[in-house]
């Protein structure tokens, strides 16, 4: 009978049991981090198209576009863009939400306004 009680007391003082419990805790933390990475929109293992915009509207805005294996990184320079185009007409939004485009008169190929 005394022999059985000694075996029970030995398990309570075993330092390796606390190490095993710490390993279990770390495994749970690692699993949670892996799930967070898998749900991230910039996940490198997914094959979908993803666009991530950092600091929108600010001078240090960045745009990251991922299309399958291809990853493109655009950084704003803070300058206002300038084009070489010409005004082609005016677009109006109606009350029902539809858009109407009215070409400018005098443009080549545009009908004259009446």
């Amino acid at each position: 009978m005394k022999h059985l009680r000694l075996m029970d007391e030995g398990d309570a003082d075993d330092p390796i049991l606390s190490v095993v419990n710490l390993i279990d805790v770390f495994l749970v933390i690692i699993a949670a981090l892996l799930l967070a990475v898998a749900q991230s929109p910039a996940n490198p293992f997914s094959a979908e198209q993803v666009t991530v915009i950092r600091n929108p509207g600010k001078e240090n805005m960045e745009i990251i576009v991922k299309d399958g294996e291809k990853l493109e990184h655009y950084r704003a320079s803070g300058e206002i863009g300038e084009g070489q185009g010409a005004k082609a007409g005016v677009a109006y939004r109606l009350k029902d939400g539809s858009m109407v485009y009215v070409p400018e008169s005098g443009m080549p190929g545009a009908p004259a306004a009446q």
Side-chain angles (χ1 to χ4, degrees):
M1 179 82 95
K2 200 173 206 181
H3 178 65
L4 293 174
R5 280 196 319 184
L6 288 176
M7 290 181 72
D8 290 341
E9 290 176 8
D11 288 342
D13 294 336
D14 193 7
I16 197 74
L17 291 178
S18 61
V19 172
V20 170
N21 287 338
L22 283 176
I23 291 172
D24 291 341
V25 168
F26 287 130
L27 286 174
V28 169
I29 291 172
I30 289 170
L33 289 174
L34 286 174
L35 287 174
V37 167
Q39 297 296 328
S40 171
N43 181 4
F45 304 111
S46 69
E48 10 180 310
Q49 296 178 346
V50 176
T51 302
V52 177
I53 301 175
R54 296 172 125 186
N55 304 323
K58 297 183 180 173
E59 290 182 7
N60 60 348
M61 182 174 79
E62 298 178 54
I63 300 173
I64 301 169
V65 179
K66 180 180 169 289
D67 187 8
E69 296 291 320
K70 185 178 175 186
L71 187 66
E72 296 180 27
H73 184 86
Y74 302 101
R75 194 169 282 180
S77 64
E79 298 176 3
I80 296 176
E82 180 178 303
Q84 297 178 354
K87 185 175 178 182
V90 181
Y92 296 98
R93 181 183 309 270
L94 301 178
K95 288 182 182 179
D96 65 356
S98 62
M99 298 287 288
V100 176
Y101 168 71
V102 180
E104 292 237 346
S105 60
M107 295 289 298
Q114 294 178 359

